[in-house]
Amino acid sequence: MARAAVSGRLAERLRWRVATLVGQREETPSTRTLVLDVPGWPGHLAGQHVDVRLTAEDGYSTQRSYSIASAPDGALLELTVQRVSDGEVSPYLANELLDGDLLELRGPVGGWFVWQPEQSEPVLLVAGGSGIVPLMAMIRARRQMQMQLGPLAPFRLLYSVRTPADRMYLAELQSPDPGLDVTFLYTREVPEGWPRFPKRLTEADLAAVAWPPSANATTYVCGPTPFVEHAADLLVALGQAPDRIRTERFGPTGG
Amino acid sequence: MSEHGYDHGAEDSYEGGFEDGNALAGPLSEVFAVDVASAVGCCTGCGTTGPVAQLRVYGPGPGLVARCPQCGQVVLRWVRGDESAWLDLRGTVSLRFRLDADR
């Protein structure tokens, strides 16, 4: 099934599936990972997302996209949801669900913002806030495949957050992972003794982690639209080829 | 938000923000058997080619409007009703899909 997704051709048209919530994890005060059992899940690629549909008793229905956080070969599907206080869907997903609840989802979808273990070039991941989620799936996929196949192409992650408390997957990102370098950036508040003032991403921040243009690296950028636009512009200014930069933007609230 | 309940992505995309063509992958999977986000499109406005994933997508109501990131041309529109869907490709010269050689 994975092969079908690799080529972009799907074995059958996607349909809505009913997933069962089997666990939840608080990642930060405003984000929660939902662990889902999805019968018949066809497998996915790191970076893909799902559409989640909620339907009220009166028939009103709404849907949102959420990136898949888990590596492809897990038995369960994990989504990490950022709670947006005035959002319509995310407070429900992040606050109200109980284990055993059912969710409708469609996926995996998206064949462009993906990383596959066959890629031999170095990779730079640039995350703004909850834009870390699909990039975390790539990091997890690489780690899993590396255990089976031996060393894979190196990854660097530049992860921009407002405050130290906003770092998702912190323990995992601070655990040894050969070939992965992680750099945090803070835009509002820094850890004690941190040498860089809190400020938004600069060209110097990216220059410190970017692979040289000759490395033919692929860069994945995910975050709120203004962050992605800014980061992509800086990367091009640094000499990265635009067609080696893959971006995924989400709206300012994420809903 | 439409009374059909079609809502995709962030509320703020009403207010000048936008998502990108990655968000088209799910809705268009209702009619396409292949992933449209990774197809390479050509814009009728400026001739730019690039993956559908990189279009600027505005919505969700009453439908999704995908614009060329270079010239702003409306490349594609998608409206999902209760019993049908409209796909308007007026700004698209072509879509190139990568397919397996053996199929």
Side-chain angles (χ1 to χ4, degrees):
Chain A
M1 293 303 261
R3 187 168 179 280
V6 167
S7 72
R9 180 177 280 269
L10 307 169
E12 57 180 281
R13 253 195 6 230
L14 290 172
R15 57 190 171 82
W16 290 98
R17 299 171 190 276
V18 178
T20 305
L21 185 70
V22 295
Q24 307 184 55
R25 281 197 307 274
E26 204 72 29
E27 300 289 354
T28 69
S30 66
T31 57
R32 176 172 293 195
T33 291
L34 307 177
V35 184
L36 299 164
D37 178 31
V38 194
W41 182 247
H44 63 274
L45 302 174
Q48 288 190 294
H49 63 271
V50 296
D51 294 337
V52 173
R53 179 165 72 182
L54 298 179
T55 305
E57 281 174 16
D58 65 2
Y60 169 74
S61 167
T62 187
Q63 64 190 59
R64 293 289 187 280
S65 294
Y66 291 101
S67 289
I68 299 168
S70 46
D73 67 349
L76 299 171
L77 189 70
E78 296 187 4
L79 310 177
T80 305
V81 177
Q82 167 113 42
R83 188 180 304 119
V84 178
S85 53
D86 59 348
E88 183 184 34
V89 173
S90 65
Y92 175 75
L93 293 179
N95 296 334
E96 307 289 330
L97 289 179
L98 299 171
D99 289 2
D101 279 353
L102 304 177
L103 278 182
E104 269 191 303
L105 61 83
R106 176 177 63 194
V109 290
W112 191 74
F113 194 80
V114 298
W115 176 81
Q116 298 175 57
E118 300 83 64
Q119 291 176 229
S120 56
E121 76 282 7
V123 168
L124 172 64
L125 308 173
V126 182
S130 58
I132 185 68
V133 177
L135 307 182
M136 196 65 202
M138 297 179 188
I139 288 169
R140 288 169 167 167
R142 176 181 176 278
R143 188 191 309 139
Q144 281 193 347
M145 291 308 292
Q146 198 159 252
M147 284 191 264
Q148 298 170 27
L149 303 175
L152 294 175
F155 273 25
R156 292 174 182 167
L157 168 66
L158 184 63
Y159 183 9
S160 174
V161 288
R162 287 179 180 170
T163 76
D166 294 317
R167 293 172 296 183
M168 295 159 62
Y169 317 120
L170 181 61
E172 193 175 341
L173 288 174
Q174 290 181 329
S175 301
D177 189 346
L180 171 68
D181 287 317
V182 179
T183 305
F184 292 103
L185 280 185
Y186 304 94
T187 60
R188 296 258 177 97
E189 180 190 321
V190 297
E192 210 175 302
W194 193 257
R196 179 186 178 277
F197 287 112
K199 58 180 176 184
R200 75 174 194 160
L201 179 71
T202 66
E203 187 171 311
D205 295 324
L206 275 169
V209 296
W211 298 95
S214 60
N216 222 11
T218 299
T219 301
Y220 296 87
V221 187
C222 186
T225 296
F227 175 87
V228 171
E229 298 287 293
H230 180 58
D233 287 348
L234 293 176
L235 286 161
V236 171
L238 284 169
Q240 301 288 317
D243 64 355
R244 307 296 300 175
I245 302 170
R246 298 197 171 207
T247 54
E248 182 160 88
R249 302 160 173 84
F250 48 80
T253 69
Chain B
M1 202 162 306
S2 78
E3 64 183 46
H4 303 304
Y6 194 82
D7 181 12
H8 188 98
E11 284 92 338
D12 274 14
S13 55
Y14 284 121
E15 295 158 14
F18 59 89
E19 295 181 88
D20 60 33
N22 294 295
L24 295 169
L28 291 179
S29 72
E30 287 202 85
V31 296
F32 283 87
V34 295
D35 175 49
V36 175
S38 50
V40 174
C42 179
C43 169
T44 60
C46 63
T48 296
T49 60
V52 170
Q54 294 299 267
L55 297 174
R56 297 182 171 195
V57 174
Y58 300 79
L64 297 173
V65 177
R67 292 180 175 273
C68 173
Q70 298 299 325
C71 72
Q73 176 87 330
V74 175
V75 170
L76 177 159
R77 296 190 300 166
W78 168 262
V79 177
R80 178 70 161 93
D82 277 340
E83 295 178 343
S84 57
W86 286 262
L87 176 60
D88 171 351
L89 288 165
R90 71 180 64 186
T92 307
V93 174
S94 62
L95 287 175
R96 179 163 55 86
F97 296 91
R98 217 174 137 180
L99 300 175
D100 288 343
D102 61 349
R103 293 183 64 170

